[in-house]
Amino acid sequence: SNPVEDGIIKISNFVDFLKARIKVNGKINNLGDSVTVVAEKNKIAVTAEAPFSKRYLKYLTKKFLKKQSIRDWLHVIATSKNSYELRYFNIHDQDAEEAE
């Protein structure tokens, strides 16, 4: 299942957070035309003309999860060279391993 479909994360809040926190030339709220953040159903697309680190996006995502107090249930996984996905921690597998 997907955290957005489950209602745990609101895409609009996450988009607003990214727009407010992404730094361009060392300044917050300086997106201009160089960086765009767009929501599409349960995905967010960040497009940048300037060099933009995928790791920086992961850092901001973790910061958002921590702020929402849901960092303990979700983690950020790289699904391809230029994308991330939020997934639930697999708690059932860990419990089964500890029982053995």
Side-chain angles (χ1 to χ4, degrees), residues 4 9-16 39-44:
V4 174
I9 295 178
K10 289 195 170 83
I11 287 278
S12 59
N13 293 351
F14 189 36
V15 168
D16 292 342
E40 304 163 2
K41 290 187 181 180
N42 60 357
K43 293 184 179 182
I44 295 175

Side-chain angles (χ1 to χ4, degrees), residues 9 14 17-18 21 44 46 54-68 70-71 74-77 84-86:
I9 295 178
F14 189 36
F17 178 84
L18 288 176
R21 295 294 176 106
I44 295 175
V46 178
K54 182 179 162 192
R55 192 150 198 55
Y56 181 56
L57 191 59
K58 183 176 184 178
Y59 164 78
L60 289 174
T61 304
K62 285 181 173 181
K63 202 168 176 101
F64 175 77
L65 293 175
K66 185 74 174 171
K67 185 178 176 191
Q68 300 294 317
I70 52 179
R71 179 85 176 89
L74 297 171
H75 60 143
V76 185
I77 303 263
Y84 280 119
E85 189 175 286
L86 294 176

Side-chain angles (χ1 to χ4, degrees), residues 21-35 49-52 56:
R21 295 294 176 106
I22 291 176
K23 287 184 181 180
V24 178
N25 296 329
K27 296 179 183 174
I28 297 177
N29 284 329
N30 190 25
L31 295 183
D33 296 333
S34 59
V35 178
E49 292 174 18
F52 192 81
Y56 181 56

